[in-house]
Amino acid sequence: MFTRILRKQPKQETSTLTSLDKLNETLEMLEKKENVLQKKAYAEVEKAKAYTKSKNKKVGFTRYNHAAAIQCLKKKKLYEEQIAQLGNFQLRIHDQMIMLEGAKATTETVDALRSGASAMKAMNKSTNIDDLDKTMDEINEQTENMKQIQEALATPIGAAADFDEDELEAELEELEEAELEEQLLQPATTAPSAGPVKVPAGRVPRIRTEEEDELAALQAEMAL
């Protein structure tokens, strides 16, 4: 059913627009006729009033005038019946227009859904799982190639490639041990002799012991 609707959609849309235009034209025509009939009914009422005024004034109100007033009211009733009929016609046209507009909205909705489904299908077709796996394999391959290139560039070449890393490490360790031994073999330096200390009156200067001298010498050596 939906397939038939989709296949006939362009033609149906044109037909719907044409029908809506026709209904609008008919509705305008009925409204104009209704206005004309309302004016005619109003005129008949005014004529009947005129005959009534003639009677009230007792100015030659004959039997003919009375019959003419009744005739005017009858015409007014006929016009009112036609007006009511035109009102029903307009109501039916409004109902038909609402149905057609609803059908048009439904058709446009189906068309939009169909366009979305087609777009989704095209996107899925252009990005199927096989192509995605192939693309990921290519990315991984290129990444691995780049790693190999970077490793190749970092590898020493020429004379630097002949150096033995273990031998260099051993040589560096010997240099560090020799530096440490040289520091340990340096003679200990004594602390610089201080000048004569003025002792305040009444105090006896304290004599430094041998242990204190050795401690001072050690501190001076560590300060170098």
Side-chain angles (χ1 to χ4, degrees):
M1 179 178 178
F2 281 107
T3 305
R4 292 197 299 271
I5 292 176
L6 295 176
R7 289 178 179 175
K8 297 180 180 179
Q9 188 270 336
K11 184 177 180 180
Q12 285 182 348
E13 183 176 0
T14 303
S15 177
T16 301
L17 294 176
T18 303
S19 299
L20 287 172
D21 292 339
K22 181 63 176 178
L23 289 172
N24 278 319
E25 293 176 1
T26 305
L27 185 61
E28 292 177 0
M29 179 268 294
L30 293 175
E31 289 175 349
K32 290 179 181 178
K33 285 187 176 183
E34 183 181 1
N35 291 332
V36 172
L37 291 174
Q38 287 177 348
K39 291 179 181 179
K40 289 182 178 181
Y42 178 78
E44 294 300 327
V45 173
E46 292 299 318
K47 288 179 183 180
K49 288 180 179 179
Y51 290 127
T52 303
K53 290 178 182 179
S54 298
K55 177 182 178 181
N56 293 336
K57 291 180 180 180
K58 297 181 180 180
V59 180
F61 186 77
T62 63
R63 186 176 182 83
Y64 173 78
N65 291 338
H66 176 76
I70 294 298
Q71 191 68 20
C72 290
L73 294 178
K74 288 181 179 180
K75 289 182 179 179
K76 190 260 298 184
K77 288 290 185 182
L78 292 175
Y79 290 144
E80 287 177 347
E81 290 179 359
Q82 292 182 9
I83 290 172
Q85 188 177 21
L86 291 177
N88 290 331
F89 290 164
Q90 293 177 49
L91 183 61
R92 289 190 177 184
I93 289 177
H94 279 296
D95 183 54
Q96 188 68 25
M97 291 175 65
I98 291 173
M99 291 179 63
L100 285 174
E101 289 174 352
K104 183 174 179 293
T106 301
T107 303
E108 291 176 350
T109 302
V110 172
D111 183 59
L113 293 173
R114 181 183 63 176
S115 299
S118 298
M120 184 65 69
K121 183 178 180 180
M123 292 173 63
N124 291 334
K125 185 177 180 180
S126 61
T127 56
N128 58 66
I129 188 64
D130 294 334
D131 292 341
L132 180 60
D133 292 339
K134 183 179 179 181
T135 301
M136 294 304 298
D137 291 340
E138 291 177 354
I139 293 175
N140 293 331
E141 182 180 356
Q142 295 301 324
T143 302
E144 187 64 27
N145 291 338
M146 182 58 65
K147 289 181 179 179
Q148 293 178 2
I149 292 173
Q150 293 175 350
E151 291 176 358
L153 293 175
T155 302
I157 59 175
D162 296 333
F163 293 153
D164 188 348
E165 294 292 334
D166 295 336
E167 182 180 350
L168 294 175
E169 290 290 340
E171 183 176 354
L172 178 60
E173 186 177 353
E174 292 178 359
L175 290 176
E176 292 175 352
E177 291 178 355
E179 181 67 19
L180 180 60
E181 291 178 0
E182 183 178 354
Q183 292 178 0
L184 294 176
L185 294 177
Q186 285 182 355
T189 58
T190 59
S193 59
V197 180
K198 294 182 179 180
V199 180
R203 287 188 179 183
V204 179
R206 186 175 64 86
I207 301 174
R208 293 174 59 177
T209 63
E210 183 178 356
E211 289 80 2
E212 290 177 343
D213 292 339
E214 292 179 355
L215 179 60
L218 180 61
Q219 289 178 348
E221 182 180 354
M222 291 177 65
L224 292 179

